[in-house]
Amino acid sequence: MARLVVVSNRVADPRKTAAGGLAVALGDALASSGGMWFGWSGQVLQAGESGADAPTQLHRAGATTLATVDLPQADYDAYYLGYANSVLWPVFHNRLDLAELDRSDVDGYRRVNRMFAHRLAALLKPDDVVWIHDYHLIPLAAELRALGCKQRMGFFLHIPVPPPMIMAAIPQHEWLMRSLFAYDLLGFQSNTDVTHFARYVHNEARAERRDDDVFHAFGRSVRARAVPIGIDVNEFQALGRGRESQDMLETLRKQYLGQRLLVGVDRLDYSKGLPQRLRAFQRLLADYPENRGNTVLIQVAAPSREMVNAYAELRMELEGISGAVNSEYGELDWTPVRYMYRAVARKRLPALYRASCVALVTPLRDGMNLVAKEYVAAQDPDDPGVLVLSRFAGAAEQMTQAILVNPYDTQAVAEAIQSALHMSQEERLRRHRELLKGIREFDVHWWHKEFMHNLLD
Ligand code: ADP
């Protein structure tokens, strides 16, 4: 069996629960092939500290090797905060208004990708299989190829591909898209993403489409497919049966006795449609007054990228709206919105989902959205809650039994919440059965196998 080498911006120890779905999914494959996970350590070197000469740090995590490098402050600023999160993230989520396109950070982005390529090339064996993840590392394969690396290389993009005209607003779009042709396989989250990629390379590079999923341009061929990521359903359900989750469920049920809970769980990110969601809840209380006094929205938003300007502004906006809803509708004995700017411990998350009769997963744009899948996994199969899901989340292509909404349409979302609150048990059971079947069939292990199968084919 060839050794698997995974590369992502951050590296996690797959043996730790807090590591999350990706680490859990890749853990087995990494361990069984004696694999390596390469990426940034998470450490930023302050001015004066020299990282350039520091060796790549190698740690053992069972049979897996974790290989990490530190980043000097200037590289972190330009590569991570700058080009990746102030250009690529907003543009790929259709937010040209938030993209800082005139920044010169692309040099830092290239520099870090090139440095990663040099560090990684020194560790690669000829028959390794390399799986590179996400928008931070788009040009990595091209940099590795420039160093003579001939290994099979696959790339999975966790975020959406924008329509070609939006992509073309990035000054370096041709270079970026051309560098994708250094891979053997491109995995995207949804068919919409593949379509956008196909239209882009046809329009801009006159790529020829050979077979159904092979594109030829710049003298190379690349296969591009939708391989939607899933969750580890069994692992998440086991978490729900755990002590911490059971205790939390009991606490929530006592605390909110007689109330119906709606839940939102997100990173605080402008792609998640949080202001729009709070306004839709406000509209629900305005248009359907019977929900006042007995319906509570618990919204947790985990701090994220606090050094990027757009995130600090969003934080203030959310505090403003949640405060406004509470002051407009709150009573001495009822607070409509419980808004928290923090992460919930992963072991308690299933309890929060299970205690809630409706989940609001209403991003304006999302590559996939795993919260939608976690909510379904956490439900009581005999009395499941209802998922209200944005049609603009990648998950909507698979989860068609959710109530699909346009998150920009405040009134429509309010109506969808109202119908979720009144859905018959029969219909809830039917929809949940289908949704659960889907997330089980296309779980994170399927995703990993499907990607590798296509890469090695
Ligand atoms: P993204 O990768 O953009 O953050 P996803 O929905 O795909 O969005 O994945 C988010 C992951 O992070 C899920 O596993 C979810 O449980 C977790 N998560 C998101 N927000 C929170 C939060 N506030 N508290 C705890 N976990 C969170």
Side-chain angles (χ1 to χ4, degrees):
M1 181 201 261
R3 182 173 76 148
L4 175 63
V5 175
V6 172
V7 190
S8 62
N9 176 54
R10 289 297 301 274
V11 170
D13 184 338
R15 298 169 306 171
K16 300 196 172 141
T17 5
L22 181 65
V24 173
L26 299 174
D28 287 350
L30 281 166
S32 62
S33 71
M36 179 167 72
W37 192 337
F38 179 95
W40 172 42
S41 62
Q43 293 299 314
V44 178
L45 301 167
Q46 297 311 311
E49 288 182 277
S50 165
D53 311 323
T56 306
Q57 298 141 39
L58 299 177
H59 309 273
R60 302 293 296 178
T64 305
T65 303
L66 307 180
T68 57
V69 286
D70 301 337
L71 286 180
Q73 183 78 48
D75 283 355
Y76 170 75
D77 289 349
Y79 151 81
Y80 182 78
L81 294 179
Y83 202 71
N85 284 314
S86 301
V87 177
L88 298 179
W89 177 274
V91 174
F92 280 44
H93 287 86
N94 296 350
R95 291 299 300 268
L96 287 180
D97 58 320
L98 295 177
E100 300 183 26
L101 295 170
D102 56 352
R103 292 174 63 141
S104 55
D105 296 328
V106 68
D107 296 336
Y109 180 77
R110 278 187 197 197
R111 186 166 66 239
V112 170
N113 271 273
R114 193 164 297 155
M115 183 270 281
F116 275 10
H118 277 277
R119 296 296 185 105
L120 181 58
L123 301 171
L124 286 182
K125 299 176 191 164
D127 59 351
D128 282 347
V129 175
V130 184
W131 187 358
I132 295 168
H133 290 262
D134 229 358
Y135 60 104
H136 314 84
L137 301 172
I138 292 172
L140 186 59
E143 296 290 354
L144 286 166
R145 300 272 184 235
L147 298 175
C149 298
K150 304 246 176 330
Q151 290 82 355
R152 282 199 90 69
M153 293 184 202
F155 178 72
F156 186 79
L157 185 67
H158 292 254
I159 66 174
V161 180
M165 291 247 268
I166 304 275
M167 179 73 85
I170 301 176
Q172 303 79 20
H173 66 102
E174 285 160 345
W175 165 73
L176 271 175
M177 296 301 275
R178 183 190 183 106
S179 67
L180 285 176
F181 281 78
Y183 292 95
D184 300 295
L185 173 68
L186 302 175
F188 296 117
Q189 295 276 29
S190 70
N191 292 316
T192 303
D193 298 318
V194 177
T195 304
H196 287 166
F197 171 78
R199 277 174 37 207
Y200 177 93
V201 294
H202 175 75
N203 295 353
E204 301 283 334
R206 295 276 149 243
E208 273 178 59
R209 194 165 185 164
R210 298 181 184 163
D211 300 331
D212 192 35
D213 56 3
V214 178
F215 297 82
H216 187 82
F218 312 114
R220 268 191 68 94
S221 291
V222 68
R223 170 179 273 193
R225 293 186 72 102
V227 189
I229 196 169
I231 62 164
D232 187 329
V233 177
N234 291 336
E235 181 247 3
F236 201 72
Q237 291 185 336
L239 220 51
R241 290 189 295 271
R243 170 99 262 137
E244 286 206 41
S245 189
Q246 290 294 322
D247 287 352
M248 181 45 62
L249 185 58
E250 207 178 303
T251 307
L252 286 170
R253 286 199 168 137
K254 268 194 208 136
Q255 176 145 11
Y256 291 100
L257 195 67
Q259 299 284 321
R260 293 172 305 176
L261 296 186
L262 314 180
V263 68
V265 173
D266 306 78
R267 272 184 313 104
L268 187 125
D269 193 292
Y270 47 79
S271 64
K272 303 293 180 185
L274 297 171
Q276 290 81 354
R277 185 182 306 167
L278 289 174
R279 287 199 193 95
F281 180 64
Q282 183 175 32
R283 188 67 170 263
L284 175 87
L285 299 177
D287 291 358
Y288 304 98
E290 67 271 27
N291 295 307
R292 296 180 202 165
N294 57 46
T295 307
V296 173
L297 169 61
I298 300 187
Q299 174 65 57
V300 279
S304 176
R305 302 176 198 160
E306 291 172 280
M307 301 296 288
V308 178
N309 293 337
Y311 290 72
E313 285 165 24
L314 177 63
R315 182 182 172 190
M316 306 243 295
E317 187 184 0
L318 285 174
E319 283 169 10
I321 305 173
S322 54
V325 179
N326 284 339
S327 60
E328 187 177 353
Y329 291 103
E331 300 285 350
L332 281 176
D333 56 355
W334 175 66
T335 306
V337 178
R338 277 289 306 276
Y339 167 65
M340 284 159 280
Y341 180 57
R342 74 176 62 113
V344 175
R346 192 158 177 80
K347 287 183 174 169
R348 293 177 163 181
L349 212 44
L352 178 57
Y353 291 140
R354 189 140 185 172
S356 305
C357 60
V358 179
L360 302 182
V361 182
T362 54
L364 305 178
R365 190 77 183 103
D366 214 329
M368 174 52 61
N369 197 294
L370 296 177
V371 169
K373 297 184 175 184
E374 291 171 352
Y375 179 75
V376 169
Q379 294 310 294
D380 176 353
D382 297 321
D383 186 20
V386 180
L387 174 63
V388 174
L389 176 62
S390 164
R391 56 176 296 180
F392 303 126
E397 260 186 30
Q398 297 176 297
M399 305 182 83
T400 53
Q401 294 297 317
I403 300 188
L404 296 181
V405 293
N406 171 3
Y408 292 95
D409 187 340
T410 312
Q411 188 179 335
V413 177
E415 285 167 9
I417 300 172
Q418 177 71 356
S419 65
L421 287 168
H422 289 91
M423 190 178 283
S424 70
Q425 185 172 19
E426 192 189 344
E427 187 172 352
R428 285 189 285 119
L429 286 169
R430 184 176 56 73
R431 287 179 185 251
H432 179 257
R433 232 181 353 254
E434 290 297 309
L435 287 168
L436 187 61
K437 190 165 154 243
I439 62 165
R440 268 199 187 290
E441 183 174 354
F442 300 106
D443 70 355
V444 77
H445 302 291
W446 170 88
W447 170 74
H448 155 242
K449 282 195 208 103
E450 183 71 10
F451 188 90
M452 290 314 282
H453 170 76
N454 280 289
L455 179 56
L456 299 175
D457 192 15

